[in-house]
Amino acid sequence: DKAGNANECVANVEVLDKIKPFCVAPFNVSIPCTSLPKEFNPYDTLTLQSLFGVASASDNCGATWQEIEPIVNLSDCKFGTITRRFRTIDRVGNTSIN
């Protein structure tokens, strides 16, 4: 002030990211079993990614996606379904709810 008096203030701010990331799975695909590789392993997530696509992740602070072990419901003749599952995790550990 005009008299030379001074004062200082300190404020601590804690920034929290409470926004959950969002995971987008690849499109559903139906194919005949004759189109699959001869030694097809329905539990091999890298093969599933190369044949049927990958997920994507979105978040306000950046995120990555992970593929979880699929649910395989195939008969001995390889007829049925493979349900692929994904999750997204952001930089602070929030996981997707979809």
Side-chain angles (χ1 to χ4, degrees), residues 6-13:
N7 191 9
E8 293 182 18
C9 296
V10 175
N12 292 318
V13 178

Side-chain angles (χ1 to χ4, degrees), residues 2-95:
K2 289 183 180 182
N5 297 316
N7 191 9
E8 293 182 18
C9 296
V10 175
N12 292 318
V13 178
E14 182 179 12
V15 178
L16 299 174
D17 177 13
K18 294 187 176 187
I19 298 173
K20 301 280 187 187
F22 192 77
C23 184
V24 179
F27 292 108
N28 291 337
V29 176
S30 296
I31 61 166
C33 60
T34 55
S35 296
L36 295 173
K38 186 175 182 177
E39 299 299 321
F40 176 71
N41 176 357
Y43 294 96
D44 182 353
T45 56
L46 293 177
T47 299
L48 294 174
Q49 290 170 23
S50 69
L51 292 172
F52 307 114
V54 297
S56 63
S58 67
D59 185 63
N60 61 319
C61 292
T64 58
W65 61 270
Q66 298 174 335
E67 186 159 0
I68 303 167
E69 185 176 324
I71 299 170
V72 178
N73 184 17
L74 298 176
S75 69
D76 292 337
C77 298
K78 303 294 185 201
F79 177 79
T81 60
I82 301 169
T83 303
R84 296 174 65 201
R85 303 177 300 151
F86 306 90
R87 76 172 150 231
T88 302
I89 302 172
D90 70 12
R91 289 188 220 172
V92 296
N94 294 324
T95 57

